[in-house]
Amino acid sequence: MLAAREHWGSRFGFIMATAGSAIGLGNIWRFPYMAGENGGSAFILIYLAVVVTFGISLVMAEMVLGRVTQRNPVGAFRALGGRGWALAGGLGVLTGFVILSFYVVVAGWTLAYIVFMAGNQLPTADPAVLGRHFSGFVGRTFSPLFAATIFMGLTAWIVAGGVGKGIERASKVLMPLLFVLLLVLVARSVTLPGADPGLAFLLTPDFSRVTIDTIISATAQAFFSLSIGMGVMITYGSYLPRNVNIPRSTLIIVLLDVGVAVLAALMVLPAVFAVGLDPSAGPGLTFITLPAVFASMPFGNLFGTLFFALLAIAALTSAVSILEPMIAWAVDEHGIGRGAATLAASLVCLLLAIPASLSFGPLSDTTLAGKTFFDWMDFLANNVMLPLGGLLVASFVGWRWAKPACTHLTNDGTLRLPWLTAWIWLLRVGAPVAIVALVWQAVSTP
Ligand code: PFF
């Protein structure tokens, strides 16, 4: 006999946990620099279009799979599609290991930067000096790994606490805190003298910078940001009681995710313009350009510390959700205890995090086809594994399981959803076409 499955204690808790999964480094670290590099609001508009079509469709598809089966991704696919489809769930669990191993490395940097900011160790507004500080730090052998280990430990501690007492309880505190911090920082940024060009950059779309690559990056970013394609939404959906309105909850979660991404861009870009720095600085925007911004504003250390705390909180609730499907799989399918499973999975991720972290230092010259170990993990996860996972979910629900999916999504006909046919066709054709284009483009560009 299986033990009764634990469920979310409240709808608020479920929404905070799931929004916590979606809102992460993807929104606050990646989205602003991608918007900065890709023509500001033109990129944002394309991103929004992808989110409201494929993004929402896939989140609902995953959630309904989880809620109906009350299982982890492997068990969910097996229950509905048989052994062959269980591999689709297996791919999701595997993707989790890959993502978490490089995610904890970047998350570890955010912990270190809280300390640097609070300890006034970056008192210069010169991006060249800050750039050297950043590459010096991430290039070290032990300190970044130590930070990643602390971060992994925090993640494991929350997950080991269980669904209600661990994940839900932490999310209910951390997410509201994140929203408050974000609003304080946006207010600070947009009122800086000289912020207007940044606001104009964000509000006037420059479509001349949009290429097919922009559209593809916006699609990949939407997948990563909404946590689709690796079974997180299946797993979180499996802790839902039957009567929850999935479409409405999905809408709230997606709005929170998109809202935070846009607010993060509003927080970062006007500030960058205000001090005359380059908005297209790429991944270094957060760790190099922003400390320069903080150094040139009153109480910069305080705001800088708050900013990196915000980033760490966002990363933590996401990392928790990346770990949970593996744990649910070990617990449901193999009867392993939650604590033991969490410990084992975390150790495996930390082991993989070692070469990921060393990719910025001792292993920076060890490359394959020009990519370091970190680059490979990032590339495989974002451009191949997550899209493939999304493709499998879309095809399964769209082609094999469309009728029951509609019945379950409408809570056995009690919800009136006039767009059900559009949903199914987006899953059948729209999402697969977009995903195949994405993967093809990714693997064919060197
Ligand atoms: N959505 C998270 C972010 O934007 O940082 C990252 C993420 C979480 C990706 C969970 C994938 C996932 F399954």
Side-chain angles (χ1 to χ4, degrees):
M1 256 311 270
L2 285 164
R5 195 174 195 72
E6 204 184 338
H7 285 120
W8 302 111
S10 64
R11 195 173 80 110
F12 177 71
F14 158 65
I15 289 184
M16 286 301 107
T18 316
S21 167
I23 297 165
L25 294 173
N27 303 59
I28 301 172
W29 169 59
R30 219 145 163 243
F31 186 80
Y33 83 72
M34 291 190 83
E37 280 178 341
N38 289 298
S41 49
F43 176 84
I44 298 182
L45 287 176
I46 296 170
Y47 175 77
L48 289 180
V50 176
V51 165
V52 295
T53 49
F54 313 129
I56 291 193
S57 303
L58 277 160
V59 172
M60 289 192 304
E62 283 202 19
M63 257 184 212
V64 87
L65 282 176
R67 190 184 59 176
V68 167
T69 56
Q70 300 278 298
R71 282 281 168 284
N72 66 92
V74 176
F77 270 111
R78 185 186 296 121
L80 301 173
R83 270 171 184 281
W85 278 102
L87 291 175
L91 172 73
V93 172
L94 194 67
T95 310
F97 279 103
V98 177
I99 298 189
L100 197 52
S101 310
F102 71 81
Y103 206 81
V104 293
V105 172
V106 181
W109 301 346
T110 68
L111 290 185
Y113 268 72
I114 298 179
V115 176
F116 297 154
M117 277 289 162
N120 197 17
Q121 292 181 39
L122 306 169
T124 167
D126 180 354
V129 176
L130 291 164
R132 279 197 296 279
H133 180 276
F134 175 67
S135 35
F137 170 70
V138 301
R140 281 199 237 152
T141 305
F142 290 110
S143 341
L145 272 174
F146 179 68
T149 307
I150 295 194
F151 186 85
M152 189 72 238
L154 286 172
T155 309
W157 176 59
I158 294 176
V159 169
V163 177
K165 293 219 173 70
I167 303 176
E168 182 171 353
R169 194 159 70 174
S171 309
K172 283 201 305 203
V173 178
L174 293 175
M175 293 313 288
L177 182 62
L178 179 145
F179 297 136
V180 172
L181 284 178
L182 184 64
L183 291 178
V184 169
L185 289 163
V186 171
R188 172 67 280 201
S189 174
V190 298
T191 51
L192 282 173
D196 290 356
L199 284 173
F201 174 76
L202 272 178
L203 300 176
T204 355
D206 177 4
F207 282 103
S208 70
R209 299 201 34 198
V210 171
T211 61
I212 184 80
D213 276 353
T214 321
I215 301 176
I216 288 181
S217 326
T219 311
Q221 171 66 12
F223 272 73
F224 186 78
S225 186
L226 291 173
S227 312
I228 33 193
M230 58 152 284
V232 168
M233 295 297 169
I234 300 182
T235 311
Y236 276 21
S238 78
Y239 303 130
L240 274 178
R242 303 251 167 228
N243 55 358
V244 165
N245 183 332
I246 289 184
R248 189 188 296 154
S249 303
T250 302
L251 191 66
I252 298 174
I253 291 156
V254 168
L255 283 177
L256 287 173
D257 184 53
V258 168
V260 169
V262 172
L263 282 175
L266 263 181
M267 160 177 74
V268 172
L269 295 172
V272 169
F273 274 89
V275 290
L277 292 170
D278 180 11
S280 52
L285 192 65
T286 297
F287 294 100
I288 299 168
T289 314
L290 282 184
V293 174
F294 295 126
S296 36
M297 66 165 75
F299 303 108
N301 272 344
L302 173 68
F303 286 111
T305 309
L306 293 180
F307 171 77
F308 285 104
L310 165 79
L311 203 56
I313 291 173
L316 186 58
T317 47
S318 295
V320 161
S321 79
I322 307 175
L323 185 57
E324 179 60 22
M326 310 167 196
I327 308 310
W329 164 70
V331 172
D332 292 352
E333 306 296 310
H334 301 284
I336 301 174
R338 178 169 270 273
T342 308
L343 186 66
S346 306
L347 287 176
V348 172
C349 289
L350 270 182
L351 220 57
L352 286 168
I354 295 174
S357 179
L358 297 182
S359 297
F360 296 90
L363 295 183
S364 60
D365 292 329
T366 314
T367 56
L368 186 68
K371 283 186 170 48
T372 60
F373 188 83
F374 182 99
D375 297 337
W376 270 109
M377 291 175 99
D378 184 6
F379 172 80
L380 278 178
N382 290 324
N383 295 305
V384 183
M385 297 172 89
L386 283 184
L388 216 58
L391 178 68
L392 291 169
V393 168
S395 318
F396 181 79
V397 174
W399 293 105
R400 275 247 357 219
W401 197 64
K403 256 215 152 78
C406 291
T407 312
H408 289 296
L409 197 71
T410 56
N411 289 356
D412 297 322
T414 50
L415 301 176
R416 267 188 40 77
L417 307 173
W419 40 259
L420 271 184
T421 319
W423 178 56
I424 292 297
W425 282 100
L426 269 172
L427 293 175
R428 283 186 177 166
V429 183
V433 168
I435 291 169
V436 169
L438 190 165
V439 176
W440 186 74
Q441 170 83 2
V443 293
S444 61
T445 27

